[in-house]
């Protein structure tokens, strides 16, 4: 899982650099740019199972979690269509009965049009955990919830 998170961080940074140089105006153009980066690999942008959300200011958002031993590594990333202000609030959440409770949160922002946030923390309580991230990309407010992991 550590390699997967590194790949996502690296891909987010490469994508942001490419988007800073190449104007992108449609989801079809976004997919073509990403396919060139991955040497022809089919890459999904902004959704799962063939769903491609159409954001106003945002190219992609993601959040992820991996647990190894008693350490949780949480990750969240947003990439804008242009250079603008991007803020991220990333929350590590624990399932308590039927509700998800925030155990720890981190906040970061950037004026470069992209922001990736990756943190590690020690878990003390057994159960289900997930990453819940809120994004503000040039005024466009979005959220992303990772799948859950068991500790």
């Amino acid at each position: 899982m550590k390699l997967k998170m590194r790949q996502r961080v690296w891909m987010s940074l490469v994508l942001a650099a490419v988007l800073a140089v190449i104007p992108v105006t449609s989801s079809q153009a976004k997919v073509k740019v990403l396919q060139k980066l991955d040497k022809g690999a089919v890459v999904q942008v902004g959704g799962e199972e063939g769903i491609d959300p159409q954001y106003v200011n945002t190219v992609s958002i993601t959040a992820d979690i991996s647990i190894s031993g008693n350490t949780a590594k949480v990750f969240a990333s947003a990439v804008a269509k242009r250079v603008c202000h991007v803020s991220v609030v990333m929350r590590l959440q624990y399932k308590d009965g039927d509700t998800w409770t925030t155990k720890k949160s981190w906040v970061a922002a950037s004026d470069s049009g992209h922001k990736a946030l990756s943190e590690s923390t020690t878990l003390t309580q057994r159960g289900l955990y997930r990453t819940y991230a809120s994004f503000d990309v040039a005024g466009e407010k979005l959220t992303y919830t990772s799948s859950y992991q068991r500790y």
Side-chain angles (χ1 to χ4, degrees):
M1 293 305 270
K2 185 176 182 180
L3 178 62
K4 182 179 175 183
M5 288 178 66
R6 283 186 183 166
Q7 288 173 334
R8 284 188 180 184
V9 170
W10 183 84
M11 187 62 166
S12 293
L13 295 175
V14 168
L15 179 60
V18 169
L19 291 175
V21 177
I22 300 173
V24 178
T25 58
S26 73
S27 63
Q28 184 178 13
K30 289 186 289 190
V31 171
K32 287 181 181 176
V33 169
L34 289 175
Q35 285 176 341
K36 288 180 184 176
L37 288 175
D38 281 350
K39 297 180 175 58
V42 177
V43 177
Q44 187 79 23
V45 177
E48 298 177 12
E49 306 290 326
I51 299 170
D52 188 10
Q54 300 299 302
Y55 302 126
V56 175
N57 299 322
T58 308
V59 172
S60 67
I61 58 172
T62 191
D64 200 8
I65 183 170
S66 67
I67 297 175
S68 179
N70 67 340
T71 301
K73 295 181 181 177
V74 291
F75 171 79
S77 172
V79 178
K81 292 181 179 178
R82 58 185 169 78
V83 175
C84 62
H85 183 78
V86 176
S87 65
V88 180
V89 178
M90 180 174 69
R91 298 171 181 91
L92 172 66
Q93 294 187 324
Y94 170 79
K95 189 160 189 183
D96 188 10
D98 291 336
T99 61
W100 289 94
T101 304
T102 299
K103 290 293 194 178
K104 200 163 188 180
S105 62
W106 300 266
V107 179
S110 170
D111 289 322
S112 65
H114 60 88
K115 187 63 191 170
L117 190 55
S118 182
E119 298 288 341
S120 295
T121 189
T122 301
L123 302 176
T124 58
Q125 188 174 10
R126 295 275 180 186
L128 298 178
Y129 289 86
R130 73 179 185 185
T131 302
Y132 177 82
S134 303
F135 305 94
D136 185 330
V137 180
E140 182 176 29
K141 302 203 184 320
L142 306 163
T143 61
Y144 193 105
T145 304
S146 72
S147 58
Y148 62 83
Q149 297 283 314
R150 183 175 299 279
Y151 166 62

